[in-house]
């Protein structure tokens, strides 16, 4: 007999068990859960309950949950490369915790994990890791029939406070050093990637997602259908950015067919060769936005280029305009 219960998320979870195997799935409507349960029960009676998706709830470990989550859930995300890399790292470095049965996991396990990670990783990284750990266990409970008797053990774990505010600007000679250190033979696309980053202020993921079908060199624009904040936008291009795009080969749908992780590693090597200290790829976006403001563009115009969610997020750049404002006020008084 199938069981149908309402989860804390509001979804209806249907579970069918047969001969030590089980399959679960969640639905927004109870009627859909009931229909699926009847069909799955008939398949189970015929011996068609596939072992790939029917794992005995009492036997599944955290590692098995994460591997399944990586293959079925993470693979569908836009951040698939980075998250898969992080999950694989967790499985290698935390094998003891990964070998624990999910029903025996406690919040103290993940509190200890957090406290150890924060010693060597940034708070934002630890928060992201706790995020996919919590979601993986939510999915395991709601869709895969896992038994979490005390609720999701990651949910109560306090997240470390994130302070990502950076004011890092390029120092004199650093940009030339970076471009001079590019290994054209090993990473021929790094130079155009860096140049476009500074010319457009785009995020790394946005740059790597650009497709030729969304590039209009005549109008000098690039359309981004998917961005970090979920809002599509059209980015105007400078003559320098247009020149870079015109020189790129067109053998791929994407203008810059690179993975996020390969760019991360290549940038680390490049920065080391150039002797540039404490500079991230995202700092180039900050430099670009700062230059837009310094050039006299209004914050509304900069927002259109950079894709910041609202003007308040750009207020950190207003100090760049102070001298201009002082000069304008003086001009008004003497008019």
């Amino acid at each position: 007999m199938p069981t149908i219960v309402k989860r804390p998320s509001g979804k209806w979870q249907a579970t069918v068990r047969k001969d030590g195997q089980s399959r679960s799935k969640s639905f927004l409507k109870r009627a859909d859960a009931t229909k699926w349960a009847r069909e799955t029960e008939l398949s189970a009676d015929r011996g068609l309950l596939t072992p790939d998706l029917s794992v005995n709830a009492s036997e599944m470990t955290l590692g098995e949950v994460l591997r399944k989550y990586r293959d079925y859930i993470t693979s569908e995300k836009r951040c698939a490369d980075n998250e898969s890399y992080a999950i694989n790292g967790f499985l290698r470095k935390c094998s003891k915790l990964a070998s624990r049965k999910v029903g025996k996991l406690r919040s103290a396990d993940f509190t200890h994990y957090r406290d150890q990670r924060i010693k060597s990783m940034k708070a934002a990284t630890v928060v992201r890791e706790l995020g996919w750990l919590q979601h993986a266990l939510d999915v395991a409970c709601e869709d895969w029939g896992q038994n979490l008797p005390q609720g999701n053990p990651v949910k109560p774990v306090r997240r470390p406070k994130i302070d990502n505010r950076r004011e890092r600007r390029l120092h004199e000679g650093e940009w030339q050093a970076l471009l001079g250190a590019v290994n054209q033979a090993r990473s021929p696309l790094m130079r155009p990637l860096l140049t476009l980053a500074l010319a457009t202020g785009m995020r790394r993921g946005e740059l790597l997602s650009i497709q030729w079908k969304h590039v209009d060199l005549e109008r000098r624009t690039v359309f981004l259908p998917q961005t970090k904040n979920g809002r599509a936008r059209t980015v105007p291009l400078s003559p320098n950015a247009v020149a870079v795009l015109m020189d790129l080969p067109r053998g791929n749908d994407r203008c810059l067919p690179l993975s996020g992780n390969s760019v991360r590693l290549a940038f680390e090597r490049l920065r080391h060769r150039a002797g540039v200290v404490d500079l991230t790829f995202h700092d180039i976006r900050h430099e670009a936005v700062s230059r837009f403001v310094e050039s006299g563009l209004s914050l509304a115009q900069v927002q259109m280029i950079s894709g910041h969610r609202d003007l308040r997020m750009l207020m950190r750049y207003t100090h760049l305009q102070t001298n201009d404002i002082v000069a304008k006020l003086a001009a008004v008084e003497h008019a």
Side-chain angles (χ1 to χ4, degrees):
M1 181 74 180
T3 58
I4 299 176
V5 296
K6 191 171 186 179
R7 305 299 307 174
S9 64
K11 292 183 179 180
W12 292 92
Q13 182 190 58
T15 303
V16 175
R17 293 182 175 85
K18 181 76 173 180
D19 299 329
Q21 294 183 336
S22 69
R23 179 187 279 185
S24 297
K25 192 171 182 180
S26 296
F27 300 87
L28 293 175
K29 298 180 180 179
R30 184 186 178 100
D32 293 335
T34 302
K35 179 181 178 181
W36 177 88
R38 291 198 191 106
E39 294 174 351
T40 305
E41 189 175 36
L42 288 174
S43 296
D45 290 339
R46 297 174 186 146
L48 300 177
L49 195 64
T50 54
D52 179 41
L53 294 175
S54 48
V55 181
N56 190 321
S58 64
E59 296 299 323
M60 205 168 190
T61 65
L62 175 61
E64 290 169 334
V65 166
L66 290 177
R67 290 184 185 93
K68 189 171 180 180
Y69 180 83
R70 177 196 62 198
D71 297 339
Y72 288 92
I73 307 299
T74 296
S75 60
E76 299 299 320
K77 297 182 181 181
R78 281 188 289 149
C79 61
D81 287 346
N82 291 340
E83 191 167 283
S84 295
Y85 181 83
I87 291 174
N88 291 337
F90 178 91
L91 294 172
R92 287 194 310 271
K93 299 174 183 177
C94 305
S95 56
K96 185 176 180 179
L97 182 57
S99 66
R100 296 275 299 279
K101 301 292 176 56
V102 294
K104 296 183 178 180
L105 292 170
R106 297 294 181 265
S107 295
D109 298 321
F110 297 98
T111 298
H112 177 73
Y113 170 77
R114 176 204 64 195
D115 293 343
Q116 294 302 309
R117 288 292 281 168
I118 202 66
K119 294 177 181 178
S120 58
M121 306 300 294
K122 294 181 179 179
T125 300
V126 178
V127 170
R128 280 196 299 271
E129 292 176 349
L130 292 172
W132 51 253
L133 282 166
Q134 179 175 327
H135 190 231
L137 290 173
D138 278 340
V139 171
C141 180
E142 295 187 5
D143 293 348
W144 303 336
Q146 295 304 290
N147 182 25
L148 301 176
Q150 298 182 13
N152 192 318
V154 184
K155 187 175 181 180
V157 177
R158 180 181 56 81
R159 271 48 169 178
K161 184 178 179 181
I162 299 176
D163 184 10
N164 274 347
R165 185 181 179 92
R166 283 175 63 91
E167 300 293 344
R168 177 68 157 89
R169 297 288 303 271
L170 286 170
H171 301 149
E172 184 177 357
E174 285 186 334
W175 183 245
Q176 291 73 18
L178 286 170
L179 294 181
V182 171
N183 186 330
Q184 292 284 22
R186 184 172 182 177
S187 305
L189 293 179
M190 280 302 293
R191 188 183 185 93
L193 175 65
L194 290 173
T195 305
L196 284 173
L198 188 61
T200 65
M202 290 187 198
R203 302 174 178 91
R204 184 185 68 182
E206 293 169 349
L207 289 163
L208 299 183
S209 71
I210 298 175
Q211 296 187 16
W212 285 113
K213 65 181 180 181
H214 294 143
V215 176
D216 190 333
L217 293 178
E218 184 176 342
R219 295 180 58 200
R220 299 202 302 191
T221 61
V222 167
F223 176 64
L224 299 176
Q226 288 187 327
T227 65
K228 180 181 178 181
N229 61 24
R231 298 178 182 178
R233 77 177 189 275
T234 299
V235 180
L237 300 174
S238 66
N240 189 26
V242 171
V244 172
L245 287 168
M246 289 182 67
D247 286 341
L248 288 175
R250 299 204 176 206
N252 193 288
D253 290 339
R254 290 191 294 145
C255 300
L256 297 161
L258 299 166
S259 70
N261 192 50
S262 67
V263 170
R264 181 183 65 82
L265 295 173
F267 187 77
E268 288 179 1
R269 294 191 296 266
L270 170 64
R271 185 181 59 192
H272 178 73
R273 290 197 300 271
V276 177
V277 180
D278 186 37
L279 184 77
T280 67
F281 192 94
H282 196 74
D283 288 333
I284 299 176
R285 170 173 162 84
H286 176 74
E287 177 70 25
V289 175
S290 298
R291 293 186 181 189
F292 294 152
V293 175
E294 290 170 337
S295 71
L297 293 176
S298 69
L299 291 185
Q301 291 170 325
V302 174
Q303 181 187 30
M304 177 182 172
I305 302 172
S306 66
H308 283 88
R309 188 178 294 271
D310 56 54
L311 287 176
R312 288 175 297 177
M313 299 178 70
L314 284 171
M315 291 303 291
R316 61 190 292 197
Y317 297 97
T318 56
H319 68 279
L320 300 172
Q321 296 178 310
T322 302
N323 292 336
D324 291 337
I325 294 172
V326 169
K328 289 177 181 178
L329 288 175
V332 169
E333 288 184 354
H334 291 88

